[in-house]
Amino acid sequence: MQKITTEALFHSYEGALTFSNPLTDTISTDQFSAEYPEHPEWAVGPFRKDESLTFRQVQDWADPTGIGWTADSIFNPSVMERDGKLYLFYRASPRKESVSSRIGVAVYDPETGWQDNPSNPVIYPTQDNEILGCEDPKVYQANGRYYMFYNGIWTIDRSEEQAGQDPDVYPLGDVGCDINVAVSDDLIHWEKLGQAVPYEVSRFWAKGAVIPRNAQGDAVKIGGHYLMYLSEGCGGTTHVGRSADMVNWTFEPQEYLDLGPLGGSLHEVACAIVDDGDGTGSDGGNLVLDFFYGDADGQFSAAQALYDVNQPFTQKAMHRGGSLAWGGLLKFGGTWMFAQGWDAPSGSREMYFYRADPS
């Protein structure tokens, strides 16, 4: 693993400024979430944009790494509510989907609107396995605290004979991806705790710490443990992690999603939604996995799969249409909602919010 230095961070930033991803230049949130061809009672959505909640990042952050970093795009957020306010955790990148990302937070007060946190970024590269950036926060509340799982992107040292994934995607050589975890008591100040998925499980690539979360953003214990669905990486085998404390995890291979009724192949599970009476999962209820896949024609698509919360690996039903809410769905103002910045014009640094259609 390459050691983090100011020179290495600057090299990563230079590479990010030349990056272009044809996928994110063309996809739109609406193509996944605005219409469902069918709508079973258990499905969450479809969703419509709520213009009143649009967030615009208008001021550059200070750069604690000292390399002159700035952002072009914000996207792939996670949203939490605390004391009636929304906390928006978002990825900021020099170019959309590029390396050299950081994570910031903005706070929405219904009386005064949005304020970007003046001490952003709250998560930025400080560890060797973050040398290419910190990406895609997923935030949960548990045990009276808040836990953020995010991707740490790093450069694989070929001399270590490690096998990375998609080495040609970025101009910096072989790339590894870790799931890292940080903890907070106030959603503003974060302490990094390190890596959540060991390399013997991830094989140097794991993304998407999808933990079942209720309408309030609380991680829900199932069978006495918190569960983490891993769908991308791990040598191509889906895994599930178990933890008593959200920090220390054990993982085992586990099949939990059959795309047979849809055809195609899985790309990544976006989020897991617990929709039940009291939000704890203790009395049963629905567990819904919202996921990103390639359909039988090779087109990017979203879908949802239904489970009983007490049988979290036994799929009961499936339907086309989802949210691709990578940071999780949240109920705010009485309806399910999420945020995404894919549809913002290049360089505009806007984040849009989408609410479930009450009809």
Side-chain angles (χ1 to χ4, degrees):
M1 183 179 294
Q2 184 180 1
K3 299 297 182 182
I4 190 168
T5 63
T6 300
E7 181 181 6
L9 290 172
F10 183 70
H11 185 46
S12 168
Y13 179 57
E14 283 189 314
L17 293 175
T18 65
F19 183 76
S20 176
N21 187 330
L23 169 61
T24 54
D25 289 342
T26 59
I27 63 173
S28 166
T29 299
D30 283 344
Q31 81 186 73
F32 303 111
S33 65
E35 294 183 9
Y36 288 0
E38 55 193 36
H39 193 193
E41 183 178 351
W42 58 267
V44 185
F47 297 84
R48 301 286 185 272
K49 187 184 291 186
D50 181 348
E51 301 279 2
S52 70
L53 286 175
T54 297
F55 166 68
R56 295 175 176 88
Q57 187 205 35
V58 296
Q59 185 172 353
D60 285 338
W61 297 340
D63 176 20
T65 67
I67 63 171
W69 179 95
T70 189
D72 167 88
S73 297
I74 61 175
F75 55 103
N76 287 5
S78 190
V79 183
M80 291 290 293
E81 180 181 4
R82 186 183 189 210
D83 297 332
K85 299 177 182 180
L86 282 179
Y87 288 72
L88 172 70
F89 296 88
Y90 60 92
R91 172 181 173 183
S93 292
R95 297 292 183 269
K96 194 169 289 185
E97 289 288 358
S98 73
V99 294
S100 199
S101 295
R102 284 99 169 95
I103 295 169
V105 60
V107 182
Y108 174 79
D109 186 324
E111 295 184 359
T112 59
W114 284 104
Q115 181 180 9
D116 205 26
N117 176 31
S119 60
N120 278 336
V122 294
I123 298 288
Y124 60 92
T126 59
Q127 304 174 154
D128 290 345
N129 74 342
E130 300 168 349
I131 194 170
L132 299 184
C134 302
E135 305 179 354
D136 301 350
K138 295 179 187 288
V139 180
Y140 306 89
Q141 181 171 279
N143 311 316
R145 309 191 79 184
Y146 300 97
Y147 297 83
M148 180 194 297
F149 296 82
Y150 63 95
N151 298 334
I153 312 298
W154 51 279
T155 303
I156 291 175
D157 186 342
R158 294 176 185 270
S159 66
E160 297 178 14
E161 297 183 353
Q162 296 173 342
Q165 182 162 332
D166 296 336
D168 297 327
V169 170
Y170 301 113
L172 301 176
D174 291 355
V175 174
C177 181
D178 291 337
I179 295 174
N180 291 342
V181 59
V183 65
S184 173
D185 292 316
D186 61 6
L187 291 172
I188 298 295
H189 304 90
W190 293 86
E191 177 189 359
K192 293 180 179 180
L193 301 182
Q195 188 177 334
V197 185
Y199 291 134
E200 56 266 28
V201 174
S202 73
R203 301 188 186 181
F204 312 112
W205 189 277
K207 286 182 67 177
V210 174
I211 298 168
R213 196 176 93 154
N214 68 13
Q216 292 74 47
D218 301 319
V220 175
K221 279 188 174 181
I222 298 174
H225 293 87
Y226 299 109
L227 302 182
M228 183 191 295
Y229 293 85
L230 297 180
S231 55
E232 182 178 333
C234 300
T237 300
T238 56
H239 281 67
V240 169
R242 289 175 171 81
S243 175
D245 59 8
M246 294 284 283
V247 176
N248 300 288
W249 294 84
T250 59
F251 295 88
E252 293 181 350
Q254 175 68 60
E255 293 183 3
Y256 55 79
L257 192 59
D258 177 11
L259 268 61
L262 300 176
S265 58
L266 176 67
H267 293 312
E268 189 175 352
V269 175
C271 62
I273 308 147
V274 174
D275 193 4
D276 66 350
D278 61 8
T280 67
S282 60
D283 296 324
N286 290 340
L287 170 67
V288 177
L289 296 189
D290 189 295
F291 62 92
F292 182 39
Y293 75 105
D295 67 17
D297 297 322
Q299 301 299 311
F300 291 117
S301 303
Q304 293 177 356
L306 173 67
Y307 305 76
D308 184 286
V309 74
N310 293 318
Q311 295 183 306
F313 315 131
T314 304
Q315 183 176 312
K316 296 171 61 178
M318 184 173 289
H319 91 105
R320 292 175 174 84
S323 69
L324 298 191
W326 302 110
L329 286 156
L330 185 80
K331 273 193 176 177
F332 183 72
T335 59
W336 288 101
M337 53 91 77
F338 71 98
Q340 187 51 271
W342 283 343
D343 294 329
S346 179
S348 65
R349 299 193 297 200
E350 293 181 338
M351 188 74 69
Y352 306 130
F353 282 75
Y354 301 82
R355 286 189 181 274
D357 190 337
S359 62

